[in-house]
Amino acid sequence: MTTHPMPLDHLHDEAAFRAALRQWLSAVLPGDWKGKLVAAPEADYVTFQHWWFDQLRRVGLATPHWPRAWGGEELSLRNAVILNEELARADAPRPDMFTISLFHLPATLFAHGTAEQRDRYLTGVRDHGEVWCQGFSEPGAGSDLASLRTKAEKRETPDGRTVYVVNGQKVWSSYGMYARYCLLLARTNPQAPKKQAGISYFILDMDSPGVTRRPIPQINGGAEFCELFLDDVEIPAENLIGAENDGWRIAQSTLSAERGLIIVDLAARLQFGMDMVLADAGAGKVAWWPDIAHRRAYMRLYARLLAVRAIIDRMMAEVIADPHMGNSPLPSYVKLLYSELLHDHWAFMLARGGMEAQVAMPRMTGDSNQTTDSYDAYLWSYAWTISGGTNEVLKNVLAERVLGLPR
C-alpha cells in the first residue's frame, strides 16, 4: 500500500506544512487530469469531483477549517491561506461542486442550526460528500435579494405533521442539478413592515415531490447553473433554520462564507497563471512580448493583480481581527476589483491570440476558473461581474456607504 504524506501533521511549522502539501499533491494529483475531462461526458466530471473530494477528505484537507468536534482541524487562517495557495500553485482541481457544502452550509449551521441539524447534515458532507446548492436569487430578486417572492406557508398535514408548503422559483443555483440538499430562502410573512423581516431560512431536500431542476445553458457552452421550480413542496418544520422570519439575518452568515478563502484561491490561481506568462516571455516563448505597447499593457494588468492581492491580505487581516467584519467595505472592493481584472486579463490574452484564439474549443465541465482556453475564460469572466451582486450595484453601494455620495 502506498503511503502518502499527511500535511496536517506539520501545522506547527508553516514551511514544513507548505512542503508537505507540495509532496502530497505531487503524489496524489494526476498530471493529466484536465486533459481527461476536456470534452468528457458530464457524468465523468461529477465522478471526478467526488473522487477529488474523497482524496482531500482522507488526509483531512476537505474540512480542515471546521471545528475539531466536527472532524475539522480548526485550521488557522494563515495555514488556510497556505493550503489555498499550494492548491492553486499545483493547479489542483477546485472542488466546485462542494463550495456550498464546505463553506456556506457550515457557516450557517454552526451559527444558527440545531444540534440535530448539525449532526445530520454536516456529517453527511464530511463523511459522504453530500452536495448542497443555494436557493437565494430569483428572476426578480437578484441584487435586491430581499424582494424574493417564493412563499412558504405553515400547515398541519392530515397525519399531524407540521410542514411549510413552498411555491416559487429560484435561479442561478450553482450545481443544483447534482445537489442532494438546498439552502433555501422563502417568504413566510408577506405583511411584514420591511421586506427583509418576513423571510425564513430552510433546508430543502432536493428529492422532495414538486422540485424541478432545469440547467441554464450559458454563453460558453456550460450549464453549471440551474433554475429551480418549487410547486407545493413540503418542508418539515424541523428543517427551519433558526426562528421563523429571521432568515435575512441568518443569510448574512451564509454570505460571509464568500469572503476570504474562496477569493484567496482564485486570486492565487490568476497570479500563478500570469507568472507563467512572464516566465515564458523571459524564455522567448511569447510572440507578442517584443511589442512594447503589449508589454506595458500586460505589466499594468500585473500591477493591478498585485494591488488586488494586497487588498485581499488586508481583508484577511480584518477577518482575523473580527470574523464578522461588520460593515467593512473590503469584500465589496475585492470582488469588484478582482472581477474587472479577470475580465480585462482574459480580454487581453484573447486579443493577443488573434483570430485563431476566437474559436470555441471542447471545454471541461465546470465554472471555467481553471481553463487555459482564453476564449472560454473570457466568456466566463462576465459571470464574475454579476455573481455576488452585480458590479453596478456594488459601485452604488460603495459610493453611498463609503464615499457618502447622494442616492
Side-chain angles (χ1 to χ4, degrees):
M1 177 182 293
T2 302
T3 301
H4 297 309
M6 299 291 288
L8 294 181
D9 291 343
H10 303 277
L11 293 178
H12 60 285
D13 183 326
E14 289 184 2
F17 179 51
R18 192 182 290 276
L21 283 169
R22 293 185 184 183
Q23 185 182 359
W24 179 79
L25 285 163
S26 177
V28 174
L29 185 63
D32 60 345
W33 71 270
K34 282 187 177 180
K36 289 183 176 179
L37 291 177
V38 171
E42 221 172 80
D44 289 2
Y45 171 79
V46 174
T47 298
F48 181 80
Q49 279 277 304
H50 280 282
W51 174 84
W52 180 238
F53 180 89
D54 192 53
Q55 298 308 304
L56 294 169
R57 182 188 61 79
R58 290 181 181 186
V59 293
L61 294 178
T63 58
H65 54 295
W66 289 18
R68 288 189 177 87
W70 294 97
E73 191 61 37
E74 296 183 16
L75 205 63
S76 71
L77 195 55
R78 178 57 195 156
N79 278 329
V81 169
I82 291 172
L83 170 59
N84 280 271
E85 287 178 345
E86 291 307 316
L87 290 170
R89 184 188 302 275
D91 197 20
R94 299 185 67 246
D96 296 324
M97 281 175 44
F98 299 94
T99 298
I100 306 299
S101 304
L102 294 175
F103 294 97
H104 300 71
L105 175 68
T108 304
L109 292 188
F110 286 143
H112 306 285
T114 65
E116 292 78 11
Q117 288 170 344
R118 289 192 293 269
D119 184 56
R120 164 62 187 90
Y121 298 111
L122 295 177
T123 300
V125 171
R126 184 193 66 206
D127 295 347
H128 307 295
E130 290 178 342
V131 177
W132 285 66
C133 66
Q134 190 168 290
F136 279 24
S137 296
E138 299 182 4
S143 297
D144 184 16
L145 181 59
S147 296
L148 64 87
R149 299 170 62 186
T150 295
K151 294 182 179 180
E153 300 180 57
K154 195 172 186 178
R155 299 180 187 173
E156 298 293 326
T157 65
D159 58 359
R161 295 180 299 118
T162 302
V163 301
Y164 289 85
V165 179
V166 182
N167 286 278
Q169 180 184 355
K170 296 295 180 177
V171 73
W172 309 127
S173 184
S174 299
Y175 301 103
M177 63 288 288
Y178 312 122
R180 180 68 179 84
Y181 297 99
C182 175
L183 294 172
L184 181 75
L185 289 180
R187 190 167 300 284
T188 43
N189 183 7
Q191 282 74 48
K194 291 184 178 181
K195 55 187 178 182
Q196 293 91 340
I199 296 171
S200 296
Y201 204 130
F202 299 95
I203 294 170
L204 168 65
D205 184 336
M206 293 287 283
D207 289 337
S208 300
V211 176
T212 302
R213 323 178 197 204
R214 185 179 299 166
I216 302 174
Q218 295 157 215
I219 191 173
N220 64 349
E224 68 274 4
F225 297 122
C226 78
E227 51 187 342
L228 308 177
F229 297 90
L230 309 172
D231 298 297
D232 289 332
V233 178
E234 291 188 0
I235 298 180
E238 58 266 27
N239 281 13
L240 174 70
I241 300 177
E244 190 174 290
N245 299 319
D246 196 27
W248 184 258
R249 182 181 69 87
I250 297 170
Q252 305 317 304
S253 296
T254 306
L255 296 174
S256 69
E258 296 180 356
R259 302 168 174 162
L261 296 178
I262 295 174
I263 200 68
V264 167
D265 173 86
L266 292 171
R269 289 177 188 273
L270 179 58
Q271 179 164 0
F272 289 132
M274 295 181 76
D275 285 342
M276 288 179 63
V277 171
L278 293 178
D280 287 344
K285 299 178 181 179
V286 179
W288 51 262
W289 188 254
D291 186 308
I292 191 169
H294 295 338
R295 198 159 65 241
R296 285 175 174 170
Y298 194 78
M299 294 314 296
R300 282 195 291 270
L301 290 171
Y302 197 84
R304 286 170 60 186
L305 169 70
L306 296 181
V308 170
R309 293 298 303 270
I311 296 174
I312 290 174
D313 288 344
R314 182 176 171 185
M315 181 179 72
M316 299 308 288
E318 282 196 8
V319 173
I320 292 173
D322 174 14
H324 300 289
M325 295 180 67
N327 294 317
S328 172
L330 286 184
S332 295
Y333 277 126
V334 168
K335 188 270 180 183
L336 185 64
L337 295 174
Y338 170 78
S339 62
E340 292 185 344
L341 170 63
L342 185 72
H343 177 76
D344 292 346
H345 168 259
W346 285 114
F348 177 91
M349 297 302 291
L350 184 62
R352 298 293 74 77
M355 292 300 296
E356 182 181 346
Q358 299 183 40
V359 177
M361 303 296 289
R363 66 184 302 275
M364 180 175 66
T365 300
D367 64 9
S368 296
N369 277 310
Q370 295 192 114
T371 185
T372 55
D373 176 13
S374 56
Y375 180 83
D376 186 17
Y378 171 73
L379 294 177
W380 170 255
S381 70
Y382 281 99
W384 261 97
T385 67
I386 300 170
S387 63
T390 64
N391 283 6
E392 291 77 10
V393 168
L394 286 181
K395 288 177 180 178
N396 284 339
V397 170
L398 291 170
E400 295 169 11
R401 299 181 186 177
V402 178
L403 300 180
L405 298 178
R407 296 177 67 95

